[in-house]
Amino acid sequence: MAAAVSRRRSKPPGSGGGTGTESAPANGHTPVLLDSVIAALDPRTGAVYVDGTLGGAGYTKALLSAADCIVWGIDRDPDAIARNSDLAAQYAGRLHLVEGRFGDMQTLLADRGLNAVDGVTLDLGVSSMQIDDPARGFAFSQDGPLDMRMEKAGQSAADLVNSVEETELADIIYAYGEERLSRRIARAIVAARAEAPIETTGRLADIVRAVATPRKRSRKRPDNKIDPATRTFQALRIQVNDELAELERGLG
Ligand SMILES: C[S@@+](CC[C@H](N)C(=O)[O-])C[C@H]1O[C@@H](n2cnc3c(N)ncnc32)[C@H](O)[C@@H]1O
C-alpha cells in the first residue's frame, strides 16, 4: 500500500492532521504508483520531503531527480539504510538517511532540527530485498530462519510461533491474515512445535500447507489459488513488526 501527503510546510504526521491517500498492493522494489505519488508530492525547489519507508529508494530517487529538493529517508531496516549510503553520498546535503520507525517520525526529525516538511510518503509492507533474501525469513517460497523482523531486533516469528497460546495464535492469523482456517492452522502449529521448535520458513510453510490445502477451501474463493501459507505468513509478519500500531502512530 502506498500513500502520500503533500502540504505547504506543515508538521510531519504524528503531530495531528489529515492525510490525502492513494493505495495499491505493495509488490516489491519497483515502487507502486510512482507517478501518482510524485504528482501528489509535487516536487519543488527547496521543498523538504520525507520518504518514511525508504526501502530501495524508488520514491526518493524520483523526488531528488524531479526537483532540487531535500529528502529525509527513514527505514527501520538497517540494511535499507546501508544500501542507500552511496545514494546519500551522491546527493550529499539533499538526502539524509535516518534509521528508525516512521511512527517516531516527528521525534526523529525534531532531533535533527526539522519541525516542518512539505510532504510525506509511506509505502507499506516489505521490500523485495527483504522478501528475496531467505536469511530475513519473510518468504515461504525459500527456506531460511523464521525471522521476519524488519529491524533485526526484538521477537522473531520463530519466537512467536513457538511460544504463544493456540487461541492467541489463531486470533493473530485470523485478524492479520484474514485466514478462515486460522484455528486449524494454529492447532497444527502447536502440535508440530511439541515435537520440535519451528525454526525455519520451510517447516512452517509445510505445516500450514498440510492442513490448509486448496481442497479445504471453498472452490469459489479467490484465495483457493494462492499458496496456502500466504495468509499465515502475512499475519505473522504484521504481528512481529507491530505494523498496524506503527501505521496508527505514523498517521496520528
Ligand atoms: C514496500 S517497501 C518500500 C519500497 C520503496 N518505496 C522503494 O521504492 O523501494 C517498505 C519499506 O519500509 C520499511 N518499513 C516498514 N515499516 C516501517 C516503519 N514502521 N518505519 C520505517 N520503515 C518501515 C521496510 O523496512 C521496507 O524497507
Side-chain angles (χ1 to χ4, degrees):
M1 178 196 293
V5 55
S6 178
R7 302 176 176 136
R8 280 279 166 197
R9 279 295 151 117
S10 56
K11 286 178 175 291
S15 54
T19 59
T21 63
E22 304 180 73
S23 41
N27 65 351
H29 179 63
T30 303
V32 294
L33 293 177
L34 179 63
D35 291 346
S36 306
V37 167
I38 299 306
L41 292 174
D42 185 22
R44 299 177 295 278
T45 299
V48 180
Y49 300 100
V50 177
D51 183 347
T53 51
L54 179 70
Y59 293 151
T60 287
K61 285 180 205 159
L63 285 167
L64 290 167
S65 60
D68 189 10
C69 59
I70 292 172
V71 177
W72 289 76
I74 300 175
D75 206 294
R76 69 196 290 187
D77 184 343
D79 287 357
I81 297 298
R83 191 176 303 110
N84 285 297
S85 61
D86 286 351
L87 190 67
Q90 185 187 335
Y91 286 99
R94 291 184 55 208
L95 172 58
H96 306 284
L97 303 180
V98 181
E99 184 179 326
R101 299 184 183 192
F102 62 66
D104 297 322
M105 189 185 305
Q106 198 188 356
T107 311
L108 290 170
L109 297 178
D111 287 350
R112 290 159 175 82
L114 190 66
N115 293 301
V117 298
D118 295 284
V120 176
T121 177
L122 298 178
D123 183 7
L124 306 177
V126 274
S127 68
S128 58
M129 283 82 71
Q130 290 165 328
I131 285 278
D132 292 346
D133 180 358
R136 300 302 303 269
F138 288 100
F140 48 76
S141 53
Q142 307 174 77
D143 198 18
L146 186 56
D147 193 316
M148 301 196 191
R149 295 171 299 176
M150 293 183 192
E151 251 155 43
K152 300 188 164 185
Q155 186 186 50
S156 70
D159 295 334
L160 184 72
V161 299
N162 288 306
S163 66
V164 300
E165 299 224 343
E166 185 178 323
T167 48
E168 191 186 344
L169 191 54
D171 289 346
I172 290 168
I173 295 170
Y174 186 75
Y176 298 149
E178 296 177 21
E179 170 60 86
R180 69 181 185 85
L181 300 175
S182 58
R183 308 237 161 262
R184 186 192 299 260
I185 292 168
R187 204 177 315 129
I189 289 173
V190 168
R193 79 187 187 196
E195 289 168 21
I198 303 165
E199 282 166 350
T200 63
T201 54
R203 180 155 179 243
L204 178 62
D206 287 345
I207 293 163
V208 177
R209 286 176 188 135
V211 294
T213 57
R215 203 162 41 84
K216 297 266 190 317
R217 300 179 189 277
S218 157
R219 285 205 183 87
K220 290 185 187 141
R221 287 178 65 93
D223 68 1
N224 208 10
K225 293 201 173 67
I226 66 172
D227 188 301
T230 305
R231 290 169 177 272
T232 299
F233 271 63
Q234 172 187 297
L236 295 175
R237 190 206 83 215
I238 289 173
Q239 174 72 18
V240 163
N241 295 288
D242 202 14
E243 290 180 40
L244 297 191
E246 255 309 291
L247 184 57
E248 265 180 40
R249 291 198 312 130
L251 298 178

